[in-house]
Amino acid sequence: MIIDTLDNLGKYVGLNPLFADVVDFLQKNDLNALDEGKHLIKDKDLFVNIQTAKGRTKEEAVLETHIQMIDIQIPLSAEETFGYTPLCDLPDFDYNAEKDITKYGTTMAQTYVTCRPGQMIIFFPQDGHAPCIADKDIKKAIFKVKA
């Protein structure tokens, strides 16, 4: 997991070749002006979902992991808190290959971190994360990057 400002995303391009395409997309597009929904950048290997997510409590938020994709999550309208637990500390649950997600039921996160507009958080396949913890709905961008 990485949390940083959007201005520093370029420092992480060595971690995945598609991160440079995310930086390029951010330089050419205003995320706040994009319509909600899925925007393909490099077919299935790189796209961004713009959505308004319902705010949840820590108890309502569900830990999840992805095997095929890395998440770069960017809150746009308000700060968002994320639960975090490393995959090695999570119990076994069924993986949904079609949706590339494992959800961990009522398992609570080990720790929490808050991300503000202008910041981003990157979750790799080894990072269990519980998004959308907030006291109101959150407009956000989620880049899905082939791992």
Side-chain angles (χ1 to χ4, degrees), residues 5-26:
T5 63
L6 277 174
D7 292 339
N8 287 329
L9 181 57
K11 295 180 179 185
Y12 301 100
V13 297
L15 297 177
N16 183 296
L18 293 170
F19 282 11
D21 295 304
V22 175
V23 172
D24 183 61
F25 186 87
L26 288 170

Side-chain angles (χ1 to χ4, degrees), residues 35-98:
D35 291 334
E36 291 205 9
K38 186 183 209 177
H39 302 266
L40 297 176
I41 302 167
K42 291 235 172 177
D43 196 31
K44 295 178 185 176
D45 290 346
L46 175 61
F47 57 91
V48 62
N49 283 320
I50 305 295
Q51 65 183 119
T52 300
K54 182 179 184 264
R56 303 174 185 155
T57 65
K58 288 180 179 179
E59 294 74 25
E60 293 170 326
V62 177
L63 279 162
E64 60 186 55
T65 56
H66 312 288
I67 293 174
Q68 301 295 320
M69 303 301 274
I70 297 165
D71 280 3
I72 302 175
Q73 299 207 23
I74 303 167
L76 301 174
S77 65
E79 66 180 32
E80 178 178 6
T81 298
F82 297 86
Y84 170 77
T85 301
L87 176 61
C88 62
D89 289 346
L90 289 170
D92 288 333
F93 272 80
D94 290 334
Y95 171 66
N96 181 330
E98 183 179 328

